[in-house]
Amino acid sequence: DAGITQSPRHKVTETGTPVTLRCHQTENHRYMYWYRQDPGHGLRLIHYSYGVKDTDKGEVSDGYSVSRSKTEDFLLTLESATSSQTSVYFCAISEGQGSGNTIYFGEGSWLTVV
Amino acid sequence: QQQVKQSPQSLIVQKGGISIINCAYENTAFDYFPWYQQFPGKGPALLIAIRPDVSEKKEGRFTISFNKSAKQFSLHIMDSQPGDSATYFCAASMRGAQKLVFGQGTRLTINP
């Protein structure tokens, strides 16, 4: 168990509504990530954080925003959910001591936008 | 654009056989190549990883073969077992970076 808790684990929401997914870690790791997993695309990075209030975009960041006000929490917000954002979202963490440091994943949040 | 291309998308192997999953990359700045294993309903978990200064790494029944000149790497699972049935992802990261680029995934089924 990598000490990562994602909430909610499952959510159904309507198109146009805001949605926030939360990731909480107990490992005090510097780096936190949000990935989405879709069939045929593998895992794609949405946003990541390298410290409190330090975030950067990944390869599929459009329509998403993030915030990290504490080391242990990383929030992913869909400002106005669309059907194309139906996906499984994974939070991940890493100690961040250079490339090659293991990235640990949470158990995922299943989001359906209807 | 897919920086890491993985094949096949799905694979069925008989128990005791060898499972082989292949990945190819284009960016020569990549210097770390992990494989992740994911069971249904769970998050991916690191299985084995390699750096480009070695051509092979073995951990138990799992082996990564790395061909730097061809920019390809592969996962071999020897004596495949039904418990190995899962989705496998190859990935890569760049020197100095702390984020992974993943392949599309391979759904492996081991028939008893």
Side-chain angles (χ1 to χ4, degrees):
Chain A
D1 187 352
I4 305 169
T5 303
Q6 292 186 227
S7 60
R9 294 292 313 281
H10 296 86
K11 186 173 181 67
V12 179
T13 193
E14 293 186 350
T15 298
T17 60
V19 176
T20 295
L21 305 180
R22 179 178 182 247
C23 179
H24 178 81
Q25 61 147 328
T26 58
E27 306 298 322
N28 200 37
H29 282 0
R30 177 183 175 192
Y31 280 76
M32 297 186 76
Y33 312 80
W34 279 106
Y35 281 87
R36 61 177 288 174
Q37 182 176 4
D38 304 288
H41 293 278
L43 293 135
R44 294 179 292 175
L45 182 63
I46 305 171
H47 282 279
Y48 68 103
S49 169
Y50 46 95
V52 173
K53 298 189 178 178
D54 292 324
T55 65
D56 204 352
K57 296 179 180 180
E59 60 183 299
V60 290
S61 59
D62 287 349
Y64 302 94
S65 62
V66 291
S67 66
R68 190 171 180 196
S69 58
K70 297 186 289 185
T71 298
E72 58 267 33
D73 291 326
F74 193 34
L75 304 181
L76 176 71
T77 297
L78 291 66
E79 301 290 347
S80 177
T82 67
S83 58
S84 65
Q85 294 175 313
T86 292
S87 187
V88 185
Y89 292 86
F90 287 98
C91 174
I93 64 175
S94 171
E95 287 184 278
Q97 294 172 355
S99 77
N101 216 40
T102 301
I103 293 180
Y104 302 92
F105 284 83
E107 299 219 315
S109 293
W110 274 254
L111 177 67
T112 301
V113 183
V114 298
Chain B
Q1 108 221 30
Q2 192 75 37
Q3 294 194 59
V4 179
K5 295 185 178 180
Q6 183 172 345
S7 62
Q9 281 193 313
S10 62
L11 180 62
I12 299 174
V13 175
Q14 292 300 117
K15 179 182 175 182
I18 302 173
S19 304
I20 302 174
I21 304 171
N22 301 298
C23 283
Y25 65 98
E26 296 188 2
N27 193 335
T28 55
F30 287 145
D31 76 336
Y32 174 66
F33 301 89
W35 284 88
Y36 278 76
Q37 180 187 56
Q38 183 184 31
F39 293 107
K42 300 293 186 180
L46 179 67
L47 183 64
I48 186 172
I50 197 168
R51 291 197 177 273
D53 52 346
V54 297
S55 60
E56 185 176 283
K57 182 173 182 180
K58 184 176 181 179
E59 290 184 2
R61 295 184 295 108
F62 300 90
T63 300
I64 300 179
S65 297
F66 188 84
N67 186 330
K68 188 174 181 178
S69 60
K71 292 186 284 187
Q72 295 175 348
F73 59 110
S74 59
L75 176 69
H76 296 237
I77 305 174
M78 310 300 289
D79 187 26
S80 299
Q81 299 297 311
D84 297 330
S85 296
T87 298
Y88 292 80
F89 294 97
C90 62
S93 69
M94 280 188 275
R95 197 172 300 113
Q98 196 57 32
K99 49 185 179 177
L100 289 171
V101 176
F102 283 86
Q104 300 94 319
T106 296
R107 190 171 198 167
L108 175 64
T109 302
I110 308 300
N111 284 335

